[in-house]
Coordinates of all heavy atoms in Angstrom, one line a residue:
G7 N 122.0 91.1 62.0 CA 122.0 90.2 60.8 C 121.5 91.0 59.6 O 120.8 90.5 58.8
D9 N 122.9 92.0 57.0 CA 123.4 91.6 55.6 C 122.6 90.5 55.0 O 122.8 90.1 53.9 CB 124.9 91.2 55.7 CG 125.5 91.0 54.4 OD1 125.4 91.8 53.5 OD2 126.1 89.9 54.2
G10 N 121.8 89.8 55.8 CA 121.2 88.5 55.5 C 120.1 88.6 54.4 O 119.7 89.7 54.0
Y11 N 119.6 87.5 54.1 CA 118.5 87.3 53.1 C 117.3 88.2 53.5 O 116.7 88.9 52.6 CB 118.1 85.8 53.1 CG 116.8 85.5 52.3 CD1 116.8 85.8 50.9 CD2 115.7 84.9 52.8 CE1 115.7 85.5 50.1 CE2 114.6 84.6 52.1 CZ 114.6 84.9 50.7 OH 113.5 84.6 50.0
L12 N 117.0 88.2 54.8 CA 115.8 89.1 55.2 C 116.3 90.4 55.8 O 115.6 91.4 55.7 CB 115.0 88.4 56.3 CG 114.5 87.0 55.9 CD1 113.8 86.3 57.1 CD2 113.5 87.1 54.7
G13 N 117.6 90.4 56.3 CA 118.1 91.6 57.0 C 118.2 92.8 56.0 O 117.7 93.9 56.3
A30 N 123.9 95.4 61.8 CA 125.1 94.8 62.3 C 125.2 93.4 61.7 O 124.2 92.7 61.7 CB 125.1 94.8 63.8
D31 N 126.4 93.0 61.3 CA 126.6 91.7 60.7 C 128.1 91.3 60.7 O 128.9 92.2 60.5 CB 126.0 91.7 59.3 CG 125.6 90.3 58.9 OD1 126.4 89.4 58.7 OD2 124.3 90.1 58.7
N32 N 128.4 90.1 60.8 CA 129.8 89.6 60.7 C 130.0 88.8 59.4 O 131.0 88.1 59.3 CB 130.2 88.8 61.9 CG 129.5 87.5 62.0 OD1 128.4 87.3 61.4 ND2 130.0 86.6 62.9
Y33 N 129.0 88.7 58.5 CA 129.1 87.9 57.3 C 129.2 86.4 57.5 O 129.8 85.7 56.8 CB 130.3 88.4 56.4 CG 130.3 89.8 55.9 CD1 131.4 90.6 55.9 CD2 129.1 90.3 55.3 CE1 131.3 91.9 55.4 CE2 129.0 91.6 54.8 CZ 130.2 92.4 54.9 OH 130.1 93.7 54.4
L34 N 128.6 86.0 58.6 CA 128.7 84.5 58.9 C 128.1 83.7 57.8 O 128.6 82.7 57.4 CB 127.9 84.2 60.2 CG 127.8 82.8 60.6 CD1 129.2 82.2 61.1 CD2 126.8 82.4 61.6
R35 N 126.9 84.2 57.3 CA 126.3 83.5 56.2 C 127.2 83.4 55.0 O 127.3 82.3 54.4 CB 125.0 84.3 55.9 CG 124.4 84.0 54.5 CD 123.2 83.0 54.6 NE 122.6 82.8 53.3 CZ 121.3 82.7 53.1 NH1 120.5 82.9 54.1 NH2 120.9 82.4 51.9
G73 N 130.8 93.2 62.5 CA 131.5 92.5 63.7 C 130.6 91.4 64.2 O 129.5 91.2 63.7
D74 N 131.1 90.7 65.2 CA 130.5 89.5 65.6 C 129.6 89.7 66.9 O 130.2 90.2 67.9 CB 131.6 88.4 66.0 CG 131.1 87.1 66.4 OD1 129.8 87.0 66.6 OD2 131.9 86.1 66.4
L75 N 128.4 89.5 66.8 CA 127.4 89.8 67.9 C 127.5 88.7 69.0 O 126.8 88.9 70.0 CB 126.0 89.9 67.3 CG 125.8 91.1 66.5 CD1 124.6 90.9 65.5 CD2 125.6 92.3 67.3
T76 N 128.4 87.7 68.9 CA 128.6 86.9 70.1 C 129.7 87.5 70.9 O 129.9 87.0 72.0 CB 129.0 85.4 69.7 OG1 130.3 85.5 69.1 CG2 128.0 84.8 68.8
Y96 N 117.8 89.1 63.7 CA 117.8 88.0 62.7 C 119.2 87.2 62.8 O 119.4 86.3 62.0 CB 117.9 88.6 61.3 CG 116.6 89.3 60.7 CD1 116.7 90.5 60.1 CD2 115.4 88.6 60.7 CE1 115.6 91.1 59.5 CE2 114.3 89.2 60.1 CZ 114.4 90.4 59.5 OH 113.3 91.0 58.9
A97 N 120.1 87.7 63.6 CA 121.5 87.2 63.5 C 121.7 85.8 64.0 O 122.2 85.6 65.2 CB 122.4 88.2 64.2
E98 N 121.3 84.9 63.2 CA 121.5 83.5 63.6 C 122.0 82.6 62.4 O 121.9 83.1 61.3 CB 120.2 82.9 64.2 CG 119.7 83.8 65.3 CD 119.0 83.0 66.4 OE1 118.5 81.9 66.2 OE2 118.9 83.6 67.6
P100 N 120.8 80.1 60.1 CA 119.4 79.7 59.9 C 119.1 78.5 59.1 O 118.0 78.2 58.8 CB 119.0 80.9 59.0 CG 120.2 81.2 58.2 CD 121.4 80.9 59.0
N118 N 126.5 80.1 68.4 CA 126.2 81.3 67.7 C 124.8 81.8 68.1 O 124.6 82.9 68.5 CB 126.3 81.2 66.2 CG 126.2 82.5 65.5 OD1 127.1 83.4 65.6 ND2 125.1 82.8 64.9
T122 N 124.1 85.1 70.4 CA 123.6 86.4 69.9 C 122.3 86.8 70.6 O 122.2 88.0 70.9 CB 123.4 86.3 68.3 OG1 122.4 85.3 68.0 CG2 124.7 86.1 67.5
L142 N 113.2 86.9 65.3 CA 112.7 85.9 64.4 C 112.8 84.5 64.9 O 113.9 84.0 65.1 CB 113.4 86.1 63.0 CG 112.7 86.9 62.0 CD1 111.5 86.2 61.4 CD2 112.2 88.3 62.6
G143 N 111.7 83.9 65.1 CA 111.6 82.5 65.5 C 111.2 81.7 64.2 O 111.3 82.3 63.1
T144 N 110.7 80.5 64.4 CA 110.3 79.8 63.2 C 109.1 78.9 63.6 O 109.0 78.4 64.7 CB 111.4 78.9 62.6 OG1 110.9 77.8 62.0 CG2 112.4 78.4 63.7
Y181 N 119.0 73.2 64.5 CA 118.7 74.6 64.3 C 117.4 75.0 64.9 O 117.3 76.0 65.7 CB 118.7 74.9 62.7 CG 117.9 76.1 62.4 CD1 118.2 77.4 62.8 CD2 116.6 75.9 61.7 CE1 117.4 78.5 62.5 CE2 115.8 77.0 61.5 CZ 116.2 78.3 61.9 OH 115.3 79.3 61.6
K185 N 116.1 77.7 68.2 CA 115.1 78.7 68.2 C 114.1 78.5 69.4 O 113.6 79.4 70.0 CB 114.3 78.7 66.9 CG 115.1 78.8 65.6 CD 115.9 80.1 65.6 CE 115.2 81.1 64.7 NZ 116.1 82.3 64.4
Q208 N 108.1 82.3 62.1 CA 108.0 82.5 60.6 C 108.1 81.1 59.9 O 108.9 80.3 60.3 CB 109.1 83.4 60.2 CG 109.0 83.7 58.7 CD 110.0 84.8 58.3 OE1 109.7 85.8 57.9 NE2 111.3 84.5 58.5
G209 N 107.3 81.0 58.8 CA 107.5 79.9 57.9 C 108.6 80.1 56.9 O 109.1 81.3 56.8
P210 N 108.9 79.2 56.0 CA 109.9 79.4 55.0 C 109.5 80.6 54.0 O 108.3 80.7 53.7 CB 109.9 78.1 54.2 CG 109.3 77.1 55.1 CD 108.3 77.8 56.0
V211 N 110.4 81.4 53.7 CA 110.2 82.6 52.9 C 110.6 82.3 51.5 O 111.6 81.6 51.3 CB 111.0 83.8 53.5 CG1 110.8 85.1 52.7 CG2 110.7 84.0 55.0
F228 N 120.6 87.8 49.0 CA 121.2 86.5 48.5 C 120.0 85.7 47.9 O 119.0 85.6 48.6 CB 121.7 85.6 49.6 CG 122.7 86.3 50.5 CD1 122.3 86.6 51.8 CD2 124.0 86.6 50.1 CE1 123.2 87.2 52.6 CE2 124.9 87.1 50.9 CZ 124.5 87.5 52.2
T237 N 115.8 78.1 50.5 CA 114.5 77.6 51.0 C 113.8 76.9 49.9 O 114.1 77.1 48.7 CB 113.7 78.8 51.6 OG1 113.7 79.8 50.7 CG2 114.2 79.2 52.9
Ligands
NAD401 N1 114.6 82.7 55.5 C1 113.6 82.0 56.0 O1 112.9 81.3 55.3 C2 113.4 82.0 57.5 C3 112.3 81.3 57.9 C4 112.0 81.3 59.3 C5 112.9 81.9 60.2 N2 113.9 82.6 59.7 C6 114.8 83.3 60.7 O2 115.0 84.6 60.2 C7 116.3 85.1 60.5 C8 117.0 85.6 59.3 O3 117.0 84.6 58.3 P1 117.7 84.7 56.9 O4 117.1 83.8 56.0 O5 117.8 86.2 56.6 O6 119.2 84.2 57.3 P2 120.6 84.8 56.9 O7 121.7 83.8 57.2 O8 120.6 85.3 55.5 O9 120.7 86.1 57.8 C9 121.2 86.1 59.1 C10 122.3 87.1 59.1 O10 122.9 87.2 60.5 C11 124.3 87.2 60.4 N3 124.8 86.7 61.6 C12 124.7 85.4 62.1 N4 125.4 85.3 63.2 C13 126.0 86.5 63.5 C14 126.8 87.0 64.5 N5 127.3 86.2 65.5 N6 127.2 88.3 64.4 C15 126.8 89.1 63.4 N7 126.0 88.7 62.5 C16 125.6 87.4 62.5 C17 124.6 86.4 59.2 O11 125.9 86.8 58.6 C18 123.5 86.7 58.2 O12 123.8 87.8 57.4 C19 117.0 83.9 61.1 O13 117.0 84.0 62.5 C20 116.2 82.7 60.7 O14 116.3 81.7 61.6 C21 114.2 82.6 58.4

Side-chain angles (χ1 to χ4, degrees):
D9 185 52
Y11 174 57
L12 303 178
D31 206 293
N32 67 343
Y33 296 138
L34 176 75
R35 160 100 178 222
D74 184 347
L75 291 159
T76 67
Y96 288 133
E98 304 215 339
N118 188 71
T122 57
L142 263 287
T144 152
Y181 151 70
K185 305 299 257 192
Q208 183 174 242
V211 181
F228 308 107
T237 48

